[in-house]
Amino acid sequence: MQKKRKTIIALITFIIITGITGITVSYLLIHKSTPRKTIETFEKSIKHNDINNMIGCLTPDNQEYANTLIQSVDDKLDKPISLLIDVLPLLSNFLDISILSDIDIVIIEEHIEKDTAIVSVNLEIPKKISINADVNMVKIKNKWYIKSMKPNLF
């Protein structure tokens, strides 16, 4: 009886540990940062005029630079730049900036080497323009960031 009870407890413990491990591994695989996911997030941010998520896709150094730039524009205009960003859809009646929400970033090829990656993409605005570019990426603390983007013009 005692042996049977220990066997049942050991079996239940094994099932619980296996279940927790499986859930953890599944979570990590689903939420694992990849260059592709970072570029997809960047694209969605552009389409939704979400400057904070857009900046969040950049390397920490570039995030700091972008936030400093935004702050200096805020200081010079004496109005938060977020107000200008909110007005962008209204300005589209006068300027053709509405095309930004139509942008598609098509990944052509990924070349990943340890903590760096070069991702070749096509930046496409339907019926307007298509530009091929290389996105230089870096992995910092298990998260992929955009370091720079270089158009391939020739």
Side-chain angles (χ1 to χ4, degrees):
M1 181 80 149
Q2 189 73 344
K3 189 175 179 182
K4 191 174 185 180
R5 183 172 181 216
K6 284 183 180 181
T7 304
I8 291 172
I9 290 173
L11 184 60
I12 290 171
T13 303
F14 174 76
I15 291 170
I16 290 171
I17 290 172
T18 304
I20 290 171
T21 303
I23 290 169
T24 303
V25 169
S26 297
Y27 178 83
L28 291 175
L29 288 175
I30 290 170
H31 292 87
K32 180 183 175 193
S33 179
T34 65
R36 178 176 296 274
K37 286 182 183 177
T38 300
I39 290 175
E40 288 170 352
T41 299
F42 189 73
E43 177 186 24
K44 287 177 191 169
S45 301
I46 292 171
K47 288 183 179 209
H48 294 103
N49 293 320
D50 186 345
I51 191 111
N52 291 325
N53 266 342
M54 214 181 304
I55 291 171
C57 293
L58 306 177
T59 60
D61 289 350
N62 287 336
Q63 287 177 28
E64 185 177 328
Y65 176 75
N67 286 323
T68 301
L69 182 63
I70 289 169
Q71 187 59 51
S72 72
V73 170
D74 286 354
D75 293 345
K76 296 240 186 289
L77 295 176
D78 198 30
K79 298 214 179 336
I81 197 168
S82 59
L83 288 176
L84 295 174
I85 292 166
D86 291 340
V87 174
L88 283 178
L90 299 174
L91 291 175
S92 67
N93 294 329
F94 305 101
L95 307 168
D96 195 11
I97 59 173
S98 62
I99 61 174
L100 288 179
S101 62
D102 293 335
I103 196 165
D104 289 317
I105 302 177
V106 179
I107 296 174
I108 300 168
E109 179 180 29
E110 291 177 276
H111 180 71
I112 301 169
E113 229 176 88
K114 294 186 181 180
D115 291 342
T116 62
I118 297 175
V119 182
S120 296
V121 300
N122 259 349
L123 304 169
E124 299 175 355
I125 300 172
K127 299 181 184 173
K128 300 276 184 189
I129 193 168
S130 178
I131 298 172
N132 184 272
D134 287 334
V135 181
N136 295 301
M137 303 186 73
V138 63
K139 187 177 181 182
I140 302 170
K141 296 182 181 176
N142 294 318
K143 186 168 188 231
W144 285 97
Y145 295 96
I146 297 171
K147 184 175 183 178
S148 64
M149 187 178 295
K150 179 183 161 199
N152 298 319
L153 301 176
F154 303 103

